[in-house]
Amino acid sequence: MATNKSVTYKELREKLDELMLWFEGDDLDVDEAIGKHAEAEKIIADLEAYLKNTEQKIQKIKSL
C-alpha cells in the first residue's frame, strides 16, 4: 500500500473484503490465488499497523 496518499482503514478493509469475496467464489485459479493471498497478507499487515498506530495515539491522548 505504499503510495503518496494515505490509505484509510476503511479503504484497506474494503480491499480485504473484496479479496475475501473472490476467495469465496466458485471460479478459483491457483496461480491467481497465490498472488491474491500475498496481497491479502500485505493488507492485513497494513491494517494491523494502522490499528497499532491508532492505539498509540489514543494512549498518548489519554496520558495528557
Side-chain angles (χ1 to χ4, degrees):
M1 302 289 107
T3 63
N4 292 338
K5 176 188 168 248
S6 285
V7 180
T8 66
Y9 181 86
K10 182 179 178 181
E11 291 169 330
L12 288 170
R13 189 56 208 247
E14 287 172 353
K15 288 180 182 184
L16 184 59
D17 289 343
E18 288 174 17
L19 286 170
M20 295 305 297
L21 285 173
W22 184 86
F23 277 104
E24 292 172 358
D26 294 331
D27 189 28
L28 291 180
D29 175 71
V30 173
D31 294 321
E32 191 175 0
I34 292 168
K36 288 189 181 287
H37 182 269
E39 184 179 352
E41 285 182 324
K42 173 69 172 115
I43 292 170
I44 291 167
D46 289 346
L47 285 166
E48 289 174 341
Y50 187 97
L51 291 173
K52 184 174 183 175
N53 186 354
T54 301
E55 182 180 23
Q56 290 172 348
K57 287 178 182 179
I58 291 168
Q59 291 302 321
K60 186 175 180 181
I61 291 168
K62 283 183 173 182
S63 69
L64 294 178

